[in-house]
Amino acid sequence: MKNRKRRHLLLVLFAFTALAAAAWAFVRFTLNRDTNVDPATAAAPVITDPDLWRHGMEKVKADRFGVGDVAIEIPPELRHYDERRWFLATQVAEVKKHNLQPVQDFIDLAAMIQRGEIVSLPAATETYLLYGVGARVDGSPFTRYVANENLDLNDEAGLRAVNARLEAAHTKLQKDIANLESQLSSQKDGAGKKQDELVNELTARQQELKQNARDKATLNNYYASNAGPSTYSPQGQSGLFRDYDSLQTLAKNFGGRSFNLEDPNDRETLKVYLLSSLRPPALKILEEIATAYHDKFDRPLPVSSLVRPEQYQRALRRVNRYAVLIDTPPHSTGLAFDIDYRFMSGAEQNFVMAELARLKQAGRIEVLRERGANYHVFAFIDGVRPADNLITASLDEAGAPPKQTSADEPPPQKKSARATPKRRPAQKKSLRSRR
């Protein structure tokens, strides 16, 4: 009887242990906010030194049980302000201060890399590691993002092929519609279900025909040689062709590799290469933090996001609520990057946050600890924070303040007596952000 009770107790303890381990694994290894697949898999194609990346990832994800297990203390510098728009407005103000043009799409990004305005980062170094960058890209053709529209890039032969496909689709849809209308006219009154099916099918084909007409109009608008001022380029026809040629040139030799723009796999890999980039001032900050972290803990700093063109940001917003949609998203400037803290021990997090707080106090960065397991870091180009009056003037462009949706999120605090009065809002104890 005692043995039976002992076995029962052991089974209960074993089940409890397994459940606790599973819960810990779920929390600890929740997938990157940008993806529903393992970011390591998504990043793998662009790793130039697989051994360095693999060994670095082993260190990043190494078990921390009993190591540096201390309470996490979030500095006020990494919390939201009472005026919750101030965080985004500061970054918008930096864009105004230097008259920066946000990166619109991958074509923009490629051109900026060619001009040296943005630099490409390796997937792994001794001090930092790219983890999940570009995990949401796909192998779809490159497009121009203009006025919230994605415009296909083609050479002259490609444009003729697209037009031919649209014309063929137009002819087929017209025939389908005529056939459906004929079937409907032959139906007797009260035909019921069959008649309803025909009506639904006819409506669907008519909608497709309208979309076909819109697609043809878009091509004519942006590729026509007599394009007007409302089009993408004053040169009309030459604009998109020139973009295509420029991208082809870059693809032939980028990062020591050649990419075939007709191959979906090559297009996907090239997009990840492009997204693995930053402006030099931001890279300088990243390297400084990464070196300090590596020297202290002998681990590479995991970096989960770098530059993100507005085109990619819009697509990402569908799966990532932290990807803010304003006229100037911080990541589209090439000055922002994210540090992934989900694998770090309490001591590691406290160390990194102290470094970030120091840099913010020095006026070199804006920073926020996000609930999406990231530190969002934004570098100021000349190492000087924008003036408060410029930040205030940018509040409306920063959009509506983020709403509190979580019950465990404390309400905004009143300004403390030690906070800078009026000019700069006091920091508040909220971890949720929108950037």
Side-chain angles (χ1 to χ4, degrees), residues 115-130:
R115 294 194 299 267
E117 298 171 21
I118 290 182
V119 295
S120 298
L121 280 63
T125 70
E126 290 292 338
T127 60
Y128 67 82
L129 184 83
L130 303 189

Side-chain angles (χ1 to χ4, degrees), residues 32 36 82 98 136 185 204 239 270 282 292 384 390:
N32 190 294
N36 289 327
D82 274 354
H98 295 278
R136 277 283 169 185
S185 65
L270 179 55
V384 178
L390 185 56

Side-chain angles (χ1 to χ4, degrees), residues 102-113 115 144:
V103 182
Q104 292 291 318
D105 48 40
F106 286 102
I107 314 303
D108 258 357
L109 180 53
M112 294 175 76
I113 291 172
R115 294 194 299 267
R144 256 300 188 183

Side-chain angles (χ1 to χ4, degrees), residues 344-358:
M344 295 181 184
S345 66
E348 290 174 66
Q349 291 191 49
N350 288 342
F351 177 83
V352 172
M353 287 191 289
E355 287 292 302
L356 293 170
R358 175 183 63 80

